[in-house]
Amino acid sequence: MILVTGGAGFIGSNFVLDWLAAGDEGVVNVDKLTYAGNLQNLQAVASHPGHVFVQADICDAGVLARLLAEHQPRAVVNFAAESHVDRSIVGPAAFIETNVVGTFRLLEATRAYWSELPEAERAAFRFLHVSTDEVYGTLSKDDPAFAETKAYEPNSPYSASKAASDHLVRAWHHTYGLPVLTTNCSNNYGPFHFPEKLIPLMIVNALAGKPLPVYGDGMQVRDWLYVKDHCAAIRRVLEAGTLGETYNVGGWNEMPNIEIVKRVCALLDELRPRADGASYIGQLTYVKDRPGHDRRYAIDARKIERELGWKPAETFDTGIRKTVEWYLANGEWLHNVQSGGYRDWVAAQYDNAKEATA
Ligand code: NAD
Ligand code: DAU
């Protein structure tokens, strides 16, 4: 079996569901269940014999050692992280703790376990670290997209903590020979995306008749990838990636935030029109910009396409339609994630950003 961390979050839960649907190999799913972890994401596999869920912190070296010894995984896939840039600006400590210290503890526990494996199993073992394009910093309009050779220039506490974790993973390979792989992916969207992030927040607020808060001028560019395509890329890198290499994963789909919001509104207008017949775009509100907001990310995904034959299956049109449909069909999931803690975050974050700039 494989051991996955952070498998109750957005991407991790999609990965676990797809993994169990695709084959017979089991998953030990280690997740602390922070505000972002949700066992409801995994309801479909709650009684699946191949899914073992363990609530635990990747900073806990003792638990990690016990789980590795007990389950003898052939691979570790590390999704566990604090993932929201805005939260990292308000409270960076948790990002250093989980993303840096947690990755360190996981590397050390894995190294101890891996070094005791019989030779054939040691050679076949993999540690796959899931990272982000944000480690590369920001691009101007005409800069080339991020290739794997681009220097790291992280700008937020979140991206700095992910960059640090990537460096640890690299060093554990170089120094100890741990068989690692790293993926750096662009912005994901799709089912189970927590509604603190742009796309699900816009859907939730639109349906609730609330303002759609766009930071600054809304012209920041991200490269959007449907989450199931990211999961397929991770499976492919795990299967065939070259040890010690990093692979950039993206959708060739750069779009300014304002365009994303318009697309979401147009789909909602079609699929769940407002009672008064007006478009949801009327709810758009420009708010104060994110401090240090990166202007543009773009991924050059040619390496993973060329070397491993991976390509995204979804276009933005097909992926965003599936996503909006999923949110409309899963009102109960949405209702349940909008807990007291979620409401407190939204109130504090957007009260702060209320001074509209446009
Ligand atoms: P998420 O915030 O939705 O989920 C993170 C999960 O990790 C949650 O289930 C949480 O409970 C768990 N977790 C947090 N701290 C933990 C700890 N100390 N021990 C164990 N579990 C812990 O995040 P996501 O969007 O699913 O991102 C998953 C990974 O992919 C992260 O490493 C993130 O940096 C990376 N990534 C995300 C995106 C994106 O667009 N969301 C893009 C590229 C890379
Ligand atoms: O690029 C990959 C990264 O994408 C991942 O590593 C992160 O874990 C993930 O959270 C995401 O980071 P972003 O900061 O790009 O995602 P977010 O959804 O928070 O914001 C997307 C863009 O939309 C960004 O330019 C900020 C803007 N935004 C966001 C929110 C929440 C708004 O304009 N208004 C908002 O309310």
Side-chain angles (χ1 to χ4, degrees):
M1 59 161 55
I2 64 167
L3 187 147
V4 162
T5 71
F10 163 46
I11 305 174
S13 61
N14 276 288
F15 180 85
V16 168
L17 294 173
D18 291 357
W19 182 270
L20 291 171
D24 304 331
E25 195 173 20
V27 177
V28 184
N29 184 352
V30 182
D31 195 296
K32 185 179 174 182
L33 296 182
T34 67
Y35 79 92
N38 184 354
L39 282 179
Q40 231 190 318
N41 300 2
L42 298 161
Q43 217 166 33
V45 293
S47 51
H48 192 296
H51 183 230
V52 180
F53 182 81
V54 183
Q55 183 172 4
D57 189 333
I58 60 164
C59 296
D60 188 334
V63 170
L64 293 175
R66 180 176 62 72
L67 290 173
L68 289 163
E70 187 180 329
H71 295 286
Q72 298 279 307
R74 68 157 180 101
V76 169
V77 183
N78 183 28
F79 291 95
E82 289 292 335
S83 69
H84 191 32
V85 174
D86 292 324
R87 285 186 191 254
S88 83
I89 295 166
V90 174
F95 289 71
I96 304 304
E97 195 56 26
T98 287
N99 301 2
V100 185
V101 178
T103 303
F104 161 69
R105 293 265 157 73
L106 187 62
L107 282 165
E108 276 296 76
T110 304
R111 181 166 76 91
Y113 161 74
W114 163 78
S115 61
E116 296 299 322
L117 288 174
E119 200 178 323
E121 289 168 37
R122 200 164 63 238
F125 188 82
R126 297 289 181 268
F127 180 102
L128 191 151
H129 179 61
V130 180
S131 192
T132 169
D133 59 0
E134 301 205 9
V135 297
Y136 296 120
T138 188
L139 294 169
S140 303
K141 195 165 134 290
D142 299 321
D143 286 339
F146 300 131
E148 288 80 358
T149 48
K150 164 82 176 63
Y152 275 31
E153 292 181 289
N155 291 319
S156 71
Y158 163 69
S159 55
S161 69
K162 290 296 289 186
S165 68
D166 293 8
H167 290 322
L168 293 174
V169 170
R170 177 191 157 89
W172 260 242
H173 175 68
H174 189 78
T175 303
Y176 305 112
L178 191 70
V180 308
L181 299 155
T182 298
T183 54
N184 293 85
C185 189
S186 61
N187 283 63
N188 285 214
Y189 66 98
F192 304 117
H193 205 181
F194 193 77
E196 65 185 355
K197 308 281 170 64
L198 180 71
I199 289 178
L201 182 75
M202 294 301 139
I203 297 172
V204 169
N205 280 13
L207 294 175
K210 294 183 180 163
L212 307 179
V214 171
Y215 297 161
D217 64 0
M219 289 305 290
Q220 302 83 6
V221 171
R222 299 291 183 267
D223 171 4
W224 295 92
L225 181 70
Y226 191 62
V227 63
K228 303 272 178 199
D229 280 326
H230 185 192
C231 294
I234 292 169
R235 290 197 300 275
R236 185 68 190 132
V237 173
L238 190 59
E239 182 179 43
T242 301
L243 294 186
E245 292 287 309
T246 66
Y247 294 90
N248 285 356
V249 184
W252 300 109
N253 186 48
E254 285 184 58
M255 229 179 262
N257 294 336
I258 189 69
E259 185 60 27
I260 296 287
V261 176
K262 285 181 183 164
R263 299 286 281 271
V264 167
C265 287
L267 276 166
L268 288 172
D269 289 341
E270 175 196 330
L271 299 168
R272 180 76 58 86
R274 262 172 54 156
D276 63 4
S279 171
Y280 288 99
I281 200 66
Q283 292 166 228
L284 187 142
T285 320
Y286 288 98
V287 300
K288 199 169 80 181
D289 209 351
R290 172 185 282 176
H293 200 170
D294 284 338
R295 196 68 184 164
R296 175 180 165 234
Y297 304 140
I299 280 279
D300 177 344
R302 280 177 297 180
K303 178 176 171 182
I304 188 171
E305 293 185 2
R306 187 178 61 242
E307 293 186 11
L308 303 181
W310 171 87
K311 266 189 195 314
E314 302 290 343
T315 63
F316 190 70
D317 279 347
T318 59
I320 194 66
R321 180 172 285 276
K322 282 184 182 173
T323 303
V324 172
E325 284 172 350
W326 186 88
Y327 279 90
L328 291 176
N330 285 276
E332 195 190 325
W333 180 90
L334 256 187
H335 176 76
N336 291 344
V337 296
Q338 291 174 286
S339 64
Y342 171 82
R343 282 196 298 271
D344 292 347
W345 162 255
V346 170
Q349 171 69 1
Y350 294 97
D351 266 1
N352 221 0
K354 234 175 207 161
E355 308 112 61
T357 55

